[in-house]
Amino acid sequence: MKVIDVYKQYFSADCVFNGVARRGALVTLTATSDSGRICYEVSLSFFPHTAPDDFSVSYDAYASKILYDEKGRRSKKREAGLLPLVPGTADELAAQLGGVIHWDAPLTEARMG
């Protein structure tokens, strides 16, 4: 099984989960390929972010959604089509967790894989 983060970025956020205030969010688009299948999944994790250099992600405030799961292999063209869906999907996941992502306040540059 091969797992690659196609897109990964940290953002400022607001969420209270399990009684803990979360001020950061990690948003990823991950490609997983195995046995002739490719799966693309958006995931979101809210974390405390108590200091500018605190990126200790806690996975209790976590949600994910599969965008694509079919026979095939990794495709840059398909990824380009899925990337615009990431913010809307992450917002849906954030709402499920009772939080909000501040897209206009990134904590890091986007990492593309």
Side-chain angles (χ1 to χ4, degrees):
M1 181 179 305
K2 190 171 186 179
V3 179
I4 297 170
D5 286 334
V6 174
Y7 166 82
K8 180 177 184 178
Q9 191 166 12
Y10 294 85
F11 292 91
S12 175
D14 285 305
C15 182
V16 176
F17 195 84
N18 284 338
V20 177
R22 316 298 171 114
R23 300 290 177 238
L26 170 60
V27 178
T28 60
L29 173 63
T30 304
T32 304
S33 61
D34 189 32
S35 303
R37 290 192 71 83
I38 185 74
C39 176
Y40 289 94
E41 180 178 26
V42 174
S43 62
L44 166 67
S45 184
F46 287 109
F47 61 99
H49 193 58
T50 57
D53 61 345
D54 175 20
F55 292 94
S56 302
V57 176
S58 54
Y59 288 97
D60 61 339
Y62 173 87
S64 66
K65 181 177 180 179
I66 294 174
L67 295 182
Y68 182 91
D69 186 6
E70 298 287 335
K71 284 185 177 181
R73 56 188 171 142
R74 189 172 175 205
S75 161
K76 296 289 185 180
K77 183 177 178 181
R78 185 180 305 118
E79 290 171 5
L82 292 174
L83 276 171
L85 303 177
V86 172
T89 304
D91 282 339
E92 289 174 23
L93 298 171
Q96 292 172 12
L97 295 170
V100 63
I101 303 164
H102 302 295
W103 296 103
D104 59 343
L107 299 174
T108 64
E109 295 293 321
R111 293 184 213 157
M112 308 299 279

